[in-house]
Amino acid sequence: MKDALNMKIESMTLTGTGIPSGKAGVWCFLASEITVFGGLIGSYLVVRLGSGGWPEAAAHLSFSLALFNTLVLLTSSMTMVLAFDAVEKGDSKKLRTFLFLTILLGLVFLGVKAFEYAGKLAHGFTPGTGVFWSFYYGMTGLHALHVLAGVIVNIILFMEALGNALKPNEHRVELAGLYWHFVDIVWIFLFPLLYLT
């Protein structure tokens, strides 16, 4: 156990504060992402307060699909936590299982979002239809790209876990988890702003 802990610490480079450099890098990246999504959400609120007709446009969105996707994303956060817990316990089989489930749930989220986009576009609601739709496609599209990036990262980790190549770098599961939870938190803000108005 002590040897495993020492190996884990050796595989991480520490900053001057004692925080692993990988974790510090992810936190810095997430801080920059907060400014991006914070700016978008702030702009949405300012423009919405200054104009009318938004509830009528938002009424065309599917609350039930968005609620389902919210549950999918929250469940994926739980499976990501369980994947990290498997790393802590040295259980490779559970690590692979929970990483796979996280990937699957991420793909389900993206599939539902693509279905929702297709339905709205088929009814003529494009990003150019109005200000609400510009914000809707802009914010949810950027969020979906972040989910896709998280899925790709988790696929890489899963493939490494399958080939036993992840062992010296298992702390990367925690870093991927930080990013994944951030993506979930952003959706928690977008869901009520767009679908509950």
Side-chain angles (χ1 to χ4, degrees):
M1 181 74 180
K2 199 171 181 179
D3 289 341
L5 184 62
N6 288 336
M7 281 178 65
K8 193 179 286 184
I9 292 173
E10 284 170 8
S11 67
M12 299 183 287
T13 307
L14 300 179
T15 62
T17 60
I19 300 172
S21 58
K23 189 180 282 188
V26 170
W27 279 117
C28 288
F29 172 70
L30 295 182
S32 70
E33 290 291 291
I34 288 171
T35 62
V36 173
F37 281 102
L40 268 175
I41 291 171
S43 301
Y44 172 88
L45 292 172
V46 169
V47 175
R48 171 153 192 182
L49 289 173
S51 57
W54 293 56
E56 291 79 9
H60 294 285
L61 297 179
S62 173
F63 171 77
S64 56
L65 278 181
L67 180 62
F68 174 75
N69 250 356
T70 302
L71 295 174
V72 166
L73 218 47
L74 290 176
T75 306
S76 73
S77 257
M78 184 187 70
T79 56
M80 197 71 213
V81 169
L82 291 172
F84 178 62
D85 183 59
V87 168
E88 292 286 289
K89 293 176 178 172
D91 191 333
S92 301
K93 187 178 176 185
K94 282 188 177 176
L95 169 62
R96 291 192 293 270
T97 300
F98 289 121
L99 276 177
F100 176 77
L101 288 174
T102 305
I103 293 165
L104 187 64
L105 290 167
L107 291 174
V108 168
F109 179 89
L110 291 174
V112 171
K113 183 50 67 186
F115 176 77
E116 192 179 359
Y117 279 170
K120 297 297 164 274
L121 292 171
H123 285 91
F125 299 116
T126 68
T129 303
V131 181
F132 172 80
W133 294 103
S134 297
F135 273 108
Y136 167 74
Y137 283 107
M139 293 198 293
T140 59
L142 184 61
H143 177 264
L145 285 176
H146 281 71
V147 173
L148 178 62
V151 167
I152 292 171
V153 168
N154 284 330
I155 287 175
I156 292 170
L157 293 175
F158 178 70
M159 297 303 288
E160 288 182 345
L162 278 180
N164 287 324
L166 187 61
K167 208 68 179 173
N169 297 304
E170 286 182 324
H171 65 282
R172 290 177 181 171
V173 175
E174 182 185 12
L175 304 183
L178 288 173
Y179 174 81
W180 195 256
H181 297 317
F182 169 78
V183 170
D184 287 1
I185 291 169
V186 169
W187 180 254
I188 295 301
F189 279 95
L190 295 184
F191 174 57
L193 279 175
L194 294 168
Y195 293 87
L196 298 178
T197 54

